Amino acid sequence: MRIQPDIIRQFNEQAHEEHHRKLNALQHMRNNANELEHVIQKLMAMQIAIPSWALGTGGTRFGRFAGGGEPRSLEEKLEDIGLLHALNGNSGAVSLHIPWDIPENYEAIRSLAAELNIKFDAVNSNTFQDQVGQPHSYKFGSLADYSKEVRAQAVAHNIEVIRHGEALGSKSITVWLADGSSFPGQQSFRRSFEYTLDSLQQIYAHLPDDWRMFVEYKPYEPNFYSTVIQDWGSSFLLASKLGKKAYSLVDLGHHLPNTNIEQIVSGLMMEGKLGGFHFNDSKYGDDDLTVGSIKPYQLYLIFLELVEGMESEDFAWMIDASHNIKDPLEDLLQSVEAILIAYAQALLIDKEALKKAQEEKDVSLCQEILQDAFRTDVRPLLAEARLRKQAALYPLKLYRKLQVREQLIESRGSEVAATGL
């Protein structure tokens, strides 16, 4: 399904008066036209990748409840991302998960993506699941497994993923390992780490010159006693040993409760080793909830650290959430909105005033400066950025008005489950 530009234009014309009333109120409150124009320009340039596995309903350990109208092929997944991008103007990239989404025809897929104005972001390998027909199991590990044959199989898979990415025009690979142990004494921490480093070095050697490798970390799950790449420190250590094309990747759900993620972000940026983000939200653990639904202030504080580095670094942005009970497309629209809100709020910070308050040790003023920007309703700036890009002023409202999910169910069926899930 595709939304024609005329439909969006008519919707925007009907919402035009409401939008300008809100925008004018914000302009009057901030009284700094240059500041707001700067934010709008930054919002227009922001693109957040949609992972190919996020277009269908996710699941829990107890079950999966498909919502109907889910994409049955990679082509339909791209169509859904194109639909999102048409609505918000900020979803112009896709991140493929291999082997869930191996193209049958590279040229046709690249042509379809170009038609939808979608670029290929990082490709993702999968050694946390056994695939049909593979000779060796990943039950006890992959890149860190004690078996040389298992490690070789996992390395070969990652090299194959790079080749798929090259054929599509991607420029990076994300490696996340489930490797670890569930019981003390099951594995040697040191040997597992050394095996992982050796495996990653073999993969790194096959990176094209203009590619990057993102090393993701996670403290627990599916193993509960130890994870080989358990935190930012182990990821940073591996990335540093691998070379200048390797970076750490931060998933907002991959931290123990109350971890100061914004401080981690600052440290990795300082060392030039922050590669990108997987956005989601969390209450208890790796919940993969809608971005900004639980901890919007933390997301804002993270962007406070990011905005300075974003002037000179090319970070990879991707949503990594599990849509268990919500319409996946609605959830993704909400997630992109939350990311842009936090970004816009961070851009409103008076950096010089904050620096001066910090140097004068005025703790109360520091808090006021931060919270003044956070409490500013920046949604009119997001809407203005979308309007200038000929996207919808209010994406979710138009999505529901057009009854997109109902149309997808009518064309694809109510019982279909998305490929790869």
Side-chain angles (χ1 to χ4, degrees), residues 142-158:
S142 59
L143 296 180
D145 196 85
Y146 278 32
S147 166
K148 185 177 181 179
E149 291 75 19
V150 173
R151 296 199 304 274
Q153 175 182 274
V155 168
H157 166 69
N158 278 271

Side-chain angles (χ1 to χ4, degrees), residues 15-29 377 380 384 393-394 397:
H16 189 270
E17 183 177 343
E18 176 188 359
H19 164 60
H20 275 277
R21 176 174 52 80
K22 293 178 179 178
L23 183 62
N24 290 337
L26 177 58
Q27 291 171 334
H28 178 75
M29 182 183 72
D377 185 358
E384 179 64 20
L393 280 169
Y394 307 115
K397 186 179 292 186

Side-chain angles (χ1 to χ4, degrees), residues 301-347:
L301 294 177
I302 290 169
F303 267 101
L304 284 184
E305 302 301 325
L306 283 171
V307 288
E308 187 172 345
M310 290 170 68
E311 298 294 333
S312 57
E313 301 292 336
D314 181 22
F315 299 130
W317 315 105
M318 192 194 83
I319 294 172
D320 188 9
S322 182
H323 320 294
N324 300 330
I325 59 175
K326 293 165 68 177
D327 178 334
L329 297 182
E330 291 193 351
D331 197 311
L332 289 164
L333 288 172
Q334 290 177 318
S335 289
V336 171
E337 180 95 350
I339 293 167
L340 294 173
I341 286 173
Y343 181 29
Q345 290 169 332
L347 288 169

Side-chain angles (χ1 to χ4, degrees), residues 18 23 28-29 55-56 70 72 84 117 125 136 150 188 197 209 244 246-247 274 290 298 359 371 381 384 391 397 413:
E18 176 188 359
L23 183 62
H28 178 75
M29 182 183 72
L55 285 310
E70 297 186 12
R72 300 161 295 184
L84 294 173
N117 197 23
S125 58
H136 306 289
V150 173
S188 161
L197 175 59
D209 291 340
K244 63 180 182 180
Y247 299 83
L274 179 63
T290 312
Q298 182 188 59
E359 291 173 347
Q371 294 192 351
L381 300 181
E384 179 64 20
K397 186 179 292 186

Side-chain angles (χ1 to χ4, degrees), residues 75-268:
E75 288 80 1
E76 289 186 352
K77 290 180 180 182
L78 289 177
E79 291 279 357
D80 284 1
I81 296 174
L83 189 152
L84 294 173
H85 190 41
L87 286 169
N88 64 24
N90 297 103
S91 302
V94 57
S95 185
L96 295 189
H97 206 298
I98 308 297
W100 292 348
D101 292 301
I102 298 177
E104 295 182 4
N105 184 320
Y106 293 107
E107 185 177 348
I109 289 297
R110 290 187 67 164
S111 176
L112 176 59
E115 185 181 336
L116 297 168
N117 197 23
I118 295 171
K119 296 181 179 180
F120 288 92
D121 202 79
V123 283
N124 302 262
S125 58
N126 180 344
T127 60
F128 55 86
Q129 290 178 324
D130 286 348
Q131 304 300 324
V132 176
Q134 74 179 48
H136 306 289
S137 175
Y138 296 132
K139 180 176 181 179
F140 295 103
S142 59
L143 296 180
D145 196 85
Y146 278 32
S147 166
K148 185 177 181 179
E149 291 75 19
V150 173
R151 296 199 304 274
Q153 175 182 274
V155 168
H157 166 69
N158 278 271
I159 295 171
E160 178 191 356
V161 171
I162 292 171
R163 299 296 170 249
H164 288 305
E166 280 188 289
L168 292 168
S170 178
K171 296 293 182 182
S172 53
I173 181 174
T174 298
V175 180
W176 174 73
L177 297 185
D179 294 25
S181 61
S182 286
F183 300 97
Q186 179 184 334
Q187 294 179 354
S188 161
F189 297 146
R190 181 167 181 170
R191 286 176 66 189
S192 295
F193 193 85
E194 288 173 341
Y195 284 147
T196 299
L197 175 59
D198 179 71
S199 297
L200 289 173
Q201 286 171 332
Q202 295 179 55
I203 300 166
Y204 186 88
H206 286 81
L207 282 180
D209 291 340
D210 58 348
W211 269 55
R212 295 183 293 170
M213 175 187 286
F214 302 134
V215 182
E216 194 171 350
Y217 60 89
K218 186 175 183 180
Y220 69 95
E221 195 185 41
N223 288 287
F224 290 93
Y225 175 64
S226 71
T227 302
V228 178
I229 312 178
Q230 81 275 23
D231 57 19
W232 73 271
S234 54
S235 170
F236 173 75
L237 180 59
L238 288 167
S240 298
K241 287 179 177 292
L242 288 170
K244 63 180 182 180
K245 294 186 289 187
Y247 299 83
S248 294
L249 185 138
V250 177
D251 185 305
L252 298 188
H254 289 190
H255 301 86
L256 296 175
N258 301 319
T259 297
N260 191 328
I261 302 175
E262 53 268 34
Q263 190 171 17
I264 294 172
V265 168
S266 176
L268 288 173

